[in-house]
Amino acid sequence: MSIEVDYRFPRGVDVEKQAKVIAVGQTAGTWNARFAHLENVFRSHLGTVVQGVINPDGSGLATIRFPEANVENDIPTLLTMIFGKYSMAGPAKVMAVRLPEHYGRHPKFGITGIRERLGVVDRPLIMAIFKPALGLSAEDHGKILQEVAGAGLDIIKDDEILGDLEIAPTLKRLEVCRKVLDEIKQQTGRTVLYAINVTGSADKLLDKAHTLVKEGANALLLNVLTYGFSVLEALAADPEINVPIFAHPALAGALCGAPNHGMAYSVVLGTLMAHGGADAVLYPAHYGSLPFDPEEEKRIRDSLRSRNVFPVPSAGIHAGIVPKVVADYGQQVILNAGTGIMDHPDGPAAGVKAFFEAIHSSRR
């Protein structure tokens, strides 16, 4: 099996030359007569230039095929192979990565599993974010959760900025919010997911995740790009982490935002997250508060759904644009709102109800 990668080069770059540099330099490299007896082995590890074309705007696009034998069925060795050292060689951007279906990990839960946990199968899911991001006590979090969960909210998450801080330690937030979740379950029979932010140094993060799950966490939030894909993969592979993992896109702009460097958003937030084990992935919506390309958003959506991962268009989502989201996504989407719910003039509960009303109106 092989892995195919599309690289875009700006006008003026010799596409054929650079493609060959990548195909050789990012795989076996060159060898001399001393290793003639191993030539067949080396060649089996070389990348192959499939094609190189010049686009109408003068930019070039090269497709390179890499042997799957060169990597370890994970994201870190994949990234090291396809763009590691070459990412520092000059202008080039990874536009697409095509992986075998078996590569990496599928989600433990994904769209079907999250819906089963919530018992909701026939509408978009509604998720809120605790706001303000910093400064609330654990008790404040509990009060907010009580209000929005009582209004029918499906999922709530920590803001990605909120770590294990003195004002609201992670375990204390979980303790307070779990009581609210248990009360909602007892009173209504409904399950509400709380994606609590799991943070910490590498030698502590996995243990912290275990502790959170043992203490009743029913979902986790992970800043995948700041902590690394290997952390996501470790959490997804761990049988004791039997809760959905929500992947946040923090830092994605640093990797994807430049026109001629880095990787396309659809690669990082779509392909790599989908093969890394995430159950749901947050990313900017083109009709939200961050500038984003609608076509790139579609590619992310489709890449995630192809592996049963829940798409979560975010950043500036409010009830007024729900019909647009539903028109683009249908029912298989999580509507994620921070201030769109929390800053509703009549309070957060009214913000949740406004989303339900918008979903109902979009079905007429």
Side-chain angles (χ1 to χ4, degrees):
M1 300 295 290
S2 60
I3 294 162
E4 283 192 355
V5 182
D6 294 342
Y7 299 84
R8 189 182 68 198
F9 303 94
R11 179 193 297 269
V13 173
D14 187 328
V15 175
E16 183 177 349
K17 177 182 177 181
Q18 293 308 309
K20 289 179 180 178
V21 168
I22 295 171
V24 174
Q26 291 297 131
T27 58
T30 58
W31 59 90
N32 58 28
R34 288 187 304 133
F35 297 102
H37 62 294
L38 294 175
E39 182 166 343
N40 288 338
V41 176
F42 294 153
R43 288 192 178 281
S44 72
H45 287 280
L46 281 175
T48 304
V49 180
V50 177
Q51 68 173 353
V53 299
I54 302 300
N55 297 317
D57 63 359
S59 65
L61 190 72
T63 300
I64 300 174
R65 184 174 294 140
F66 296 89
E68 190 181 349
N70 291 5
V71 289
E72 299 179 23
N73 197 44
D74 65 356
I75 304 303
T77 58
L78 173 73
L79 288 172
T80 305
M81 177 180 70
I82 67 174
F83 210 41
K85 181 174 65 177
Y86 189 83
S87 68
M88 298 176 279
K93 188 161 186 173
V94 173
M95 300 305 296
V97 177
R98 290 177 289 280
L99 298 170
E101 175 65 22
H102 63 262
Y103 195 91
R105 305 197 62 82
H106 282 86
K108 283 181 185 172
F109 296 90
I111 295 172
T112 53
I114 290 173
R115 285 195 177 281
E116 287 173 2
R117 291 246 164 154
L118 294 172
V120 179
V121 298
D122 60 350
R123 61 167 172 79
L125 302 180
I126 303 174
M127 179 162 75
I129 309 166
F130 284 114
K131 295 290 183 179
L134 298 174
L136 297 173
S137 68
E139 289 72 22
D140 292 330
H141 283 79
K143 291 175 183 177
I144 293 171
L145 178 57
Q146 182 75 59
E147 187 171 358
V148 293
L153 187 75
D154 300 304
I155 309 164
I156 195 165
K157 77 172 190 70
D158 286 334
D159 192 278
E160 75 280 0
I161 295 173
L162 180 60
D164 196 355
L165 305 181
E166 184 176 350
I167 190 170
T170 303
L171 278 173
K172 184 62 177 177
R173 295 199 312 275
L174 176 60
E175 177 188 350
V176 172
C177 289
R178 183 185 172 186
K179 291 179 181 178
V180 176
L181 299 178
D182 289 345
E183 289 174 4
I184 293 293
K185 184 70 172 180
Q186 292 170 2
Q187 294 169 3
T188 69
R190 295 176 51 248
T191 295
V192 178
L193 296 181
Y194 168 28
I196 191 165
N197 196 16
V198 57
T199 60
S201 57
D203 60 330
K204 298 177 181 177
L205 190 146
L206 294 180
D207 286 341
K208 182 180 287 187
H210 286 152
T211 299
L212 290 171
V213 172
K214 288 177 182 176
E215 293 299 317
N218 60 10
L220 298 177
L221 175 71
L222 178 68
N223 293 315
V224 175
L225 302 180
T226 55
Y227 285 96
F229 277 100
S230 61
V231 175
L232 170 62
E233 291 169 330
L235 290 171
D238 193 325
E240 295 183 23
I241 307 299
N242 58 346
V243 300
I245 301 169
F246 287 73
H248 196 278
L251 201 67
L255 301 175
C256 309
N260 295 317
H261 294 82
M263 296 173 280
Y265 282 107
S266 56
V267 171
V268 174
L269 301 180
T271 305
L272 301 183
M273 293 290 189
H275 286 261
D279 294 288
V281 179
L282 286 70
Y283 54 88
H286 75 274
Y287 21 57
S289 58
L290 299 177
F292 210 67
D293 178 7
E295 293 303 315
E296 193 74 343
E297 181 180 345
K298 290 179 184 177
R299 285 189 282 270
I300 295 171
R301 176 199 66 192
D302 294 345
S303 182
L304 296 177
R305 283 179 172 173
S306 72
R307 291 176 69 83
N308 190 40
V309 180
F310 237 135
V312 191
S314 306
I317 300 295
H318 56 83
I321 62 173
V322 166
K324 295 180 181 179
V325 181
V326 173
D328 286 345
Y329 284 81
Q331 305 304 309
Q332 302 295 20
V333 63
I334 297 176
L335 303 168
N336 177 38
T339 56
I341 286 177
M342 296 301 174
D343 285 358
H344 191 283
D346 295 325
V352 174
K353 292 175 182 178
F355 269 77
F356 277 107
E357 291 169 1
I359 291 173
H360 179 70
S361 296
S362 69
R363 292 176 168 179
R364 293 174 184 170

